[in-house]
Amino acid sequence: MAKNLDDLFVLPGRDTSPDARSVISLVRRWADEEVIGRRLEYQRSYDVLFPEKIRVLAVSIGLQKLAVPLDRGGFGWNLRDHSADVVSVLSEIGRADCSAGVALAVN
């Protein structure tokens, strides 16, 4: 068992891999520009904009393949070493829209 409590929980932004930092940055920019920067418009037209935004994340950016192994065409983040990377990406998505973060986390 871990003696340090910080080793028991995966925290966003902590121990992320170098290759994940570019993905995290891309998702952060998406959150800032597409949702947070247009918060009022997003809230008023949520039923129209949500499907569009989740489609961009899942298909265009390809985040539905985060936990899919490399040999099956995914990011290969299905191993324990990438847990901080996945948490960091999902927390950036959740910062913009928590339901989008949950939808991709369930995936």
Side-chain angles (χ1 to χ4, degrees):
M1 183 165 171
K3 303 259 187 227
N4 184 353
L5 290 179
D6 289 338
D7 295 337
L8 292 175
F9 303 101
V10 178
L11 301 173
R14 198 170 154 230
D15 301 327
T16 55
S17 65
D19 59 330
R21 290 188 189 114
S22 62
V23 176
I24 295 165
S25 176
L26 175 67
V27 173
R28 183 178 297 129
R29 277 197 329 264
W30 169 86
D32 290 339
E33 295 171 9
E34 295 297 322
V35 179
I36 296 170
R38 298 171 28 185
R39 179 65 73 196
L40 187 58
E41 175 189 350
Y42 191 73
Q43 287 178 343
R44 287 184 179 156
S45 303
Y46 187 80
D47 57 334
V48 174
L49 292 176
F50 177 79
E52 173 192 327
K53 301 304 178 194
I54 197 78
R55 191 176 315 108
V56 167
L57 281 173
V59 179
S60 300
I61 296 176
L63 296 184
Q64 86 281 5
K65 300 185 293 184
L66 274 179
V68 176
L70 279 173
D71 61 348
R72 295 192 177 152
F75 279 54
W77 291 6
N78 57 318
L79 304 173
R80 183 175 181 248
D81 295 344
H82 289 287
S83 57
D85 303 335
V86 172
V87 168
S88 295
V89 168
L90 292 174
S91 68
E92 286 298 326
I93 296 168
R95 195 170 60 86
D97 183 329
C98 60
S99 59
V102 169
L104 284 172
V106 169
N107 187 16

